[in-house]
């Protein structure tokens, strides 16, 4: 399986990191070793001094596909969850300044926390989600504010990468990203339902 991630998919988040609002999806991958599930903790990596959270809607692919057309893309997923795209922001900043790939800052072990999946019965185009850190609301988003919808993302990425059953798509983070410390507890809510829990150790 692979983890496909979308960067800068919410205009307000692109602006908070001083990035351009993109005209095409910004795509990067994380390896399977990045997956962090079952509420396991993330150990603060020794190579960063600025570990940050990015709470995102995660879509699970349920059908193999290549060159999926946008109008059929909804057939390729049924279940969604919330995930944290953990980012070593200082490393990412250094890589960006040099124009280098940023995988070491975003695809490290445990960098893709994923919560419990639920069936997206009413579609994925208007889902409210929220991240709390130590019980305090830090990020709130609605998938209606995505620059590129889930179906557009699937159409776009499947031109380059064959989608396989079980692949995950991290669909981008809304504004409000921030730094984490050891002992922080992250809790993610989708439409009011608690789906994700992860502690920094
Ligand atoms: Mg992200």
């Amino acid at each position: 399986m692979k983890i496909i991630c979308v960067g800068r998919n919410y205009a307000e988040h692109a602006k908070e990191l001083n990035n351009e609002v993109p005209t095409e999806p910004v795509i990067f991958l994380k390896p399977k070793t990045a997956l962090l599930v079952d509420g396991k903790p993330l150990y603060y990596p020794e190579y960063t001094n600025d570990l940050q959270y990015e709470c995102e809607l995660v879509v699970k692919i349920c059908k193999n596909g290549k060159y999926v057309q946008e109008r059929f893309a909804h057939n390729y997923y049924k279940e969604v969850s919330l995930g944290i795209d953990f980012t070593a922001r200082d490393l990412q900043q250094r890589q960006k300044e040099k124009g280098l790939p940023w995988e070491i800052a975003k695809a490290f072990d445990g960098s893709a926390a994923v919560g419990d999946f639920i069936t997206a019965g009413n579609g994925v185009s208007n889902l409210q989600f929220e991240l709390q850190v130590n019980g305090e609301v830090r990020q709130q988003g609605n998938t209606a504010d995505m620059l590129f919808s889930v179906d557009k993302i699937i159409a776009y990425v499947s031109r380059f990468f064959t989608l396989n059953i079980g692949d995950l798509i991290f669909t981008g983070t809304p504004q409000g990203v921030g730094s984490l410390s050891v002992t922080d507890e992250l809790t993610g809510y989708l439409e009011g339902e608690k789906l994700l829990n992860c502690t920094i150790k």
Side-chain angles (χ1 to χ4, degrees):
M1 63 85 68
K2 56 191 170 293
I3 304 167
I4 299 165
C5 304
V6 185
R8 304 172 192 168
N9 201 22
Y10 291 80
E12 292 306 315
H13 167 65
K15 287 180 201 160
E16 76 179 343
L17 293 183
N18 296 314
N19 290 316
E20 281 174 19
V21 174
T23 52
E24 282 206 325
V26 175
I27 304 296
F28 60 97
L29 300 177
K30 298 191 190 226
K32 195 178 169 185
T33 44
L35 252 194
L36 191 67
V37 293
D38 302 329
K40 288 197 181 116
L42 177 69
Y43 289 87
Y44 200 112
E46 83 286 358
Y47 39 77
T48 178
N49 292 310
D50 192 13
L51 177 70
Q52 295 202 355
Y53 55 81
E54 296 186 0
C55 184
E56 313 194 358
L57 180 83
V58 177
V59 174
K60 190 190 273 182
I61 296 298
C62 65
K63 193 172 162 180
N64 297 336
K66 175 86 177 165
Y67 291 110
V68 176
Q69 290 178 49
E70 186 183 334
R71 64 198 165 108
F72 299 126
H74 63 273
N75 296 318
Y76 287 77
Y77 56 89
K78 290 189 202 94
E79 291 181 303
V80 296
S81 185
L82 287 179
I84 308 290
D85 168 18
F86 283 112
T87 303
R89 195 69 73 197
D90 46 356
L91 275 187
Q92 187 197 27
Q93 190 54 33
R94 227 178 295 155
Q95 297 300 96
K96 276 165 68 180
E97 280 164 13
K98 294 182 192 160
L100 293 171
W102 62 35
E103 273 78 3
I104 58 167
K106 274 193 170 280
F108 52 85
D109 287 358
S111 62
V114 180
D116 298 327
F117 281 86
I118 55 169
T119 304
N122 297 318
V124 295
S125 59
N126 184 18
L127 294 174
Q128 186 72 26
F129 60 100
E130 178 178 298
L131 174 71
Q132 295 183 8
V133 180
N134 305 323
E136 241 174 64
V137 178
R138 294 286 184 86
Q139 277 193 294
Q140 280 180 317
N142 192 297
T143 57
D145 296 323
M146 285 181 180
L147 295 169
F148 302 98
S149 67
V150 170
D151 291 356
K152 278 201 166 69
I153 293 165
I154 286 174
Y156 183 81
V157 298
S158 69
R159 289 163 55 193
F160 304 97
F161 315 117
T162 297
L163 296 177
N164 291 131
I165 294 170
D167 287 351
L168 299 177
I169 303 180
F170 275 63
T171 58
T173 200
Q175 65 179 322
V177 301
S179 304
L180 290 165
S181 308
V182 171
T183 73
D184 280 347
E185 187 183 5
L186 295 84
T187 326
Y189 296 83
L190 181 64
E191 294 281 288
E193 188 174 348
K194 182 175 164 179
L195 296 183
L196 176 105
N197 189 259
C198 180
T199 304
I200 310 300
K201 286 201 171 176

